[in-house]
Amino acid sequence: MKYLMVMILALFWSLTGVAHAGYGVTKPAYAENGMMVSATGMTLYTFDKDKPGSSTCVDACAAIWPPYLAATGSKPVGDFTLVARGDGKYQWAYKGKPLYLYAQDKAKGDKSGDKVKEVWHIVPY
C-alpha cells in the first residue's frame, strides 16, 4: 500500500510540476507579475556570489535560501539549465545563474528576499 501511495504522489508531482521536499520539480519557472516564479508560484531569486553554472549557497545558506531543485530526469530547456550540487541533486538555473526560493516567503507573491544584503535579487521576467 505504501508503495502504491508513493507512486501515485510521484505521478501527481510529475504531471503538475508541484514541488515536494526531496522531489524537486519537473518544469522550469514561469513569469508572473514581471518576475520569475517556481512551478508552485513562489518567487525565485539569484545570488550575486554564485558563478555561472555553480551554486555557492550550501549548508546554512541553503536552509534559508533553498535551491530550486529539478526532478530526476529533468532536461535543460531554452535559457533554463541544470546545476549539479554537491549532494548529487540538480538545481534549476536561468541563463547560468542558479535559482533559489526564500524560506521567509510564505505565500505566492511574497518577495521579502529581494535585495537582502544587496546580494539576493528577484529574477525579472
Side-chain angles (χ1 to χ4, degrees), residues 4 7-8 12 27-28 34 43 59 62-63 68 77 88 106 117 124:
L4 178 60
M7 294 304 295
I8 291 170
F12 171 77
K27 64 181 179 179
T43 303
D59 301 325
Y68 182 48
V77 58
K106 302 299 182 195
K117 297 186 181 180

Side-chain angles (χ1 to χ4, degrees), residues 27-29 36 74-82 92-97 125:
K27 64 181 179 179
M36 190 177 302
S74 294
K75 303 286 185 215
V77 58
D79 288 327
F80 293 95
T81 56
L82 299 169
W92 283 112
Y94 181 68
K95 296 184 178 180
K97 296 200 61 110
Y125 199 88

Side-chain angles (χ1 to χ4, degrees), residues 48-101:
D48 287 347
K49 295 182 180 182
D50 283 342
K51 292 183 171 71
S54 176
S55 171
T56 59
C57 182
V58 296
D59 301 325
C61 176
I64 298 167
W65 300 93
Y68 182 48
L69 296 177
T72 302
S74 294
K75 303 286 185 215
V77 58
D79 288 327
F80 293 95
T81 56
L82 299 169
V83 173
R85 296 186 55 80
D87 59 6
K89 296 177 182 173
Y90 287 87
Q91 173 178 2
W92 283 112
Y94 181 68
K95 296 184 178 180
K97 296 200 61 110
L99 298 173
Y100 301 88
L101 301 159

Side-chain angles (χ1 to χ4, degrees), residues 6-30:
V6 169
M7 294 304 295
I8 291 170
L9 289 172
L11 178 61
F12 171 77
W13 294 323
S14 70
L15 292 175
T16 62
V18 172
H20 186 271
Y23 289 94
V25 296
T26 57
K27 64 181 179 179
Y30 61 95

